[in-house]
Amino acid sequence: MEKLANDRAAGSPDLPETGARPTGLAADSPAPAPRLTPTGLTVRKAMEMPALAGARLMGGAGGLDRVILRANVMEVPDILPWVKPHELLLTTGYPLRNTPQGLPELVCDLQRHGLAAMGVKLHRYLDALPEQMVAEADRLDLPLLLLPDAIGFDEIINQVLTEVLNRQAGALERSWEVHQALLAIVLDGGGLEEIADRVAATLPASVFVTTPDGRVLADGGEPADLEAWRASACFEETGRFRIEYEQRGVHAHADVPGWHAVVPIVAGRVDHGRIVAFSADRRLDDGDVHVLERAATVAALSVNKQLAVTAVESKYRGDFLRDVLAGRAGGREQVVAHCETLGWQIDRPMVVAVAEVDPDANDLPESGFELRPIQERFSTAWQTVVGRRDRRAPVVGFAREVVALLPVPFGNAEAVVQDVVREVSGDGGGGRRSFSTGVSRVVTGPDELPAAYEQARRAVHVGRQVHGSGAVAHFDALRSFRLISLIRDNDELRGFIRETLRELAATDDEDMADLRHTLKILLDANLNVAEAARTLHFHYNTLRYRISKLERILGPFTTDPELRLDLALALKVLQMRGMERP
């Protein structure tokens, strides 16, 4: 029996910073120009409009790429309560004239409110903008524009809002066209791969479609770029996207150059996964997010369609395999022939593996939506991993377990099962919940499967009792634990431990725990004192002293074989889960 760890990601990427092309991206391929019209108007572009042609940038040159979504005019002293994010604020020197010493603090407050830029007409109220105000705007990269008195605020607002609305309308029209194109893919029988390819070509960007726990289902874009993004800090070494650190929207991380956007794939309140777009050449914006939202809607439709088909197929396959495991599917030739029609081969050396999600596992990433049923994703993970190794191996998910008939052509069942469990726990998609696995003896045909299925079921339950969550237990390795597990009365077992081990039954006493370990090593060495002393790294005389102490507590176990048998069984019972408090 063996316990495999279900590792979790350690650490999260730092936030935020932009950068150059990630290492590994195709350096010789030209950066494609964005095909989508931005939904917002940048300050830089707004200054090119006729109404702002005479404006001078006084400070905050680093913020010229801020997006303007609205414009407003305010000439009252207390303007902060009405300031909105992404706003072009137009004012005169009138509300600023009496408190020039407080203008740097005003710039800080405007920055906290998310202002896009501030345009000021000095008019007759101020001779010039205070140097401290300009310096603060430079420090915060908040564009500060000096407007000529001849410019009319109404002209600025009219032109800015017209351009903003035109850009938003263009982006919405484009996202609708993308939605229609993606919908046509699904109606024509396409799946997530085709959707990812189309979105990647439209943005352009590298696109990944993942499960709710971050396992990649499909991707689209340049192969070299996709591999480079997989090697970034946004992904684990197993290839899982670190979804627990990524909220909806556009993100940048210090150690991940470029930008990426994340949108959930949701149908009703069921979370089907995420669609993620990466770009090294430009900052992703709301227009890109709108396209991803359209793609997520169509991806949810594709997933639901596939789930409906899979559900029907799985029920039919599951019902038949259940009959096979119960021994009521007919004779050998009949079962083999029917399995052939399902694409299964069962007339070869196999082991039956039964896997169950551990009831106390609680390591799922949090989500605002109801997750797809854990058992469904767990079954899919097993089917994916086993299918990659052998497409003719049956794998079926039942209500509380997954049953897999794993071929072992060279009789090395232990290595085969270890590899499969490790893959499911890693990049296969089932490792976000701890699970235990039981393995039968090797069988050679369908007539042996009912007994093998019961062996695997017994192994998974006993293995969890002995080794806890995440155990992999082989039926042949259970030995006496199989018999002990048949006793349902825990009080009887605890009584046996107390009567047999006596003082050594105290699990909260370190001295008694040390003596129990010494006793176990002695029994394992068949009372060979020299061998046990070497194992325990004790002097021979020290161990002889401990044996005398043990016999005073337990009785003459060195000369009484029946007592030795009782002690060995008591130690095994104590090893099983739930027996720690006799």
Side-chain angles (χ1 to χ4, degrees):
M1 283 176 280
E2 178 185 359
K3 184 171 181 179
L4 298 178
N6 293 307
D7 295 333
R8 299 191 63 177
S12 62
D14 297 327
L15 293 172
E17 182 179 303
T18 61
R21 182 185 296 271
T23 302
L25 290 188
D28 55 349
S29 58
R35 302 182 188 177
L36 292 175
T37 305
T39 56
L41 173 68
T42 65
V43 178
R44 189 187 311 275
K45 290 293 184 182
M47 292 183 65
E48 299 174 2
M49 301 172 63
L52 288 172
R56 291 171 52 201
L57 180 66
M58 304 302 295
L64 289 178
D65 289 327
R66 291 179 181 235
V67 174
I68 299 173
L69 297 180
R70 53 180 64 86
N72 196 4
V73 177
M74 283 187 280
E75 295 188 82
V76 295
D78 186 13
I79 61 177
L80 289 176
W82 292 275
V83 173
K84 301 291 179 58
H86 300 290
E87 184 173 76
L88 172 60
L89 176 62
L90 304 174
T91 187
T92 65
Y94 176 77
L96 312 177
R97 70 193 190 286
N98 293 326
T99 57
Q101 69 280 0
L103 294 183
E105 182 179 351
L106 173 64
V107 173
C108 289
D109 291 336
L110 293 174
Q111 164 74 6
R112 283 194 291 269
H113 281 70
L115 193 73
M118 183 176 182
V120 181
K121 279 187 186 182
L122 296 180
H123 205 42
R124 62 180 180 276
Y125 304 109
L126 286 175
D127 295 329
L129 293 175
E131 293 183 2
Q132 298 91 335
M133 182 181 185
V134 174
E136 191 68 8
D138 276 329
R139 185 181 72 84
L140 299 174
D141 290 332
L142 179 65
L144 185 60
L145 308 180
L146 182 60
L147 306 177
D149 289 345
I151 293 181
F153 284 163
D154 57 340
E155 294 180 41
I156 297 175
I157 291 178
N158 181 58
Q159 291 185 22
V160 167
L161 292 184
T162 298
E163 184 65 20
V164 168
L165 291 174
N166 287 340
R167 288 170 178 260
Q168 290 179 341
L172 289 174
E173 181 180 357
R174 179 60 174 154
S175 67
W176 177 250
E177 292 175 0
V178 170
H179 176 80
Q180 294 295 100
L182 295 175
L183 190 60
I185 290 176
V186 176
L187 295 177
D188 289 341
L192 295 178
E193 286 288 351
E194 290 82 359
I195 292 174
D197 286 338
R198 177 62 64 89
V199 175
T202 299
L203 289 178
S206 298
V207 174
F208 296 88
V209 181
T210 78
T211 63
D213 58 356
R215 315 293 165 163
V216 176
L217 297 174
D219 55 41
E222 292 295 329
D225 292 353
L226 292 172
E227 287 304 312
W229 292 119
R230 287 178 187 270
S232 72
C234 287
F235 289 82
E236 293 180 353
E237 291 182 0
T238 60
R240 188 186 74 87
F241 179 65
R242 295 187 174 188
I243 198 169
E244 58 269 32
Y245 303 123
E246 304 286 353
Q247 300 299 318
R248 178 174 183 159
V250 178
H251 306 279
H253 298 320
D255 48 357
V256 183
W259 295 81
H260 60 280
V262 181
V263 170
I265 301 173
V266 180
R269 291 192 58 82
V270 179
D271 184 359
H272 290 296
R274 301 292 184 275
I275 183 166
V276 190
F278 287 87
S279 176
D281 303 305
R282 66 184 179 90
R283 177 171 181 167
L284 300 175
D285 56 28
D286 289 344
D288 303 307
V289 173
H290 289 160
V291 171
L292 292 177
E293 288 172 345
R294 296 286 188 179
T297 301
V298 177
L301 176 62
S302 176
V303 171
N304 278 333
K305 181 189 75 171
Q306 186 58 43
L307 287 176
V309 174
T310 302
V312 175
E313 293 179 349
S314 296
K315 185 178 186 310
Y316 178 73
R317 290 167 175 258
D319 288 345
F320 178 70
L321 186 60
R322 195 186 301 274
D323 288 341
V324 172
L325 298 176
R328 56 173 182 262
R332 178 188 179 99
E333 291 77 11
Q334 182 180 355
V335 171
V336 170
H338 194 84
C339 285
E340 287 289 342
T341 65
L342 297 175
W344 294 343
Q345 182 183 356
I346 63 172
D347 56 342
R348 53 180 172 170
M350 299 176 296
V351 291
V352 177
V354 173
E356 292 183 359
V357 174
D358 293 320
D360 58 345
N362 57 2
D363 52 356
L364 273 172
E366 295 181 358
S367 171
F369 303 99
E370 178 185 350
L371 295 172
R372 282 169 51 194
I374 298 299
Q375 186 65 23
E376 178 185 318
R377 296 206 311 273
F378 186 54
S379 299
T380 301
W382 271 85
Q383 290 164 359
T384 301
V385 171
V386 175
R388 285 201 299 256
R389 301 170 64 93
D390 189 333
R391 292 188 175 278
R392 306 197 69 188
V395 182
V396 172
F398 295 147
R400 296 184 178 275
E401 64 188 17
V402 174
V403 179
L405 276 55
L406 303 177
V408 284
F410 304 108
N412 193 359
E414 184 173 349
V416 169
V417 174
Q418 277 183 343
D419 289 345
V420 171
V421 170
R422 187 174 293 109
E423 287 186 46
V424 174
S425 301
D427 61 2
R432 305 309 290 169
R433 289 291 295 259
S434 173
F435 63 92
S436 298
T437 309
V439 187
S440 73
R441 292 172 175 155
V442 177
V443 299
T444 58
D447 50 323
E448 302 175 57
L449 288 176
Y453 175 56
E454 291 303 321
Q455 292 169 6
R457 293 187 67 192
R458 173 62 57 189
V460 71
H461 294 301
V462 176
R464 185 184 287 132
Q465 280 185 292
V466 175
H467 292 290
S469 299
V472 178
H474 293 258
F475 183 76
D476 282 335
L478 298 180
R479 298 183 178 179
S480 56
F481 286 114
R482 289 160 46 196
L483 298 177
I484 297 172
S485 69
L486 296 176
I487 302 175
R488 304 298 184 187
D489 190 343
N490 287 344
D491 290 336
E492 182 66 28
L493 291 174
R494 294 190 180 99
F496 176 72
I497 293 173
R498 286 194 301 268
E499 295 167 6
T500 306
L501 295 179
R502 301 183 185 180
E503 296 173 32
L504 266 64
T507 57
D508 55 354
D509 189 320
E510 291 185 4
D511 292 337
M512 293 300 104
D514 191 30
L515 283 175
R516 280 200 310 273
H517 180 62
T518 300
L519 175 63
K520 182 180 184 304
I521 297 301
L522 274 169
L523 295 176
D524 290 344
N526 200 23
L527 297 186
N528 186 321
V529 179
E531 181 182 343
R534 285 193 297 270
T535 303
L536 293 166
H537 304 289
F538 286 166
H539 189 276
Y540 183 87
N541 291 335
T542 300
L543 184 54
R544 294 297 310 177
Y545 169 76
R546 287 201 167 207
I547 292 174
S548 299
K549 187 174 182 179
L550 285 169
E551 287 196 312
R552 287 197 300 271
I553 296 174
L554 303 172
F557 68 91
T558 57
T559 58
D560 187 345
E562 292 294 330
L563 179 55
R564 288 200 298 274
L565 176 60
D566 288 346
L567 291 173
L569 286 173
L571 290 175
K572 286 184 178 292
V573 173
L574 191 60
Q575 185 180 347
M576 298 184 70
R577 294 301 187 268
M579 297 295 109
E580 291 87 347
R581 297 181 180 277

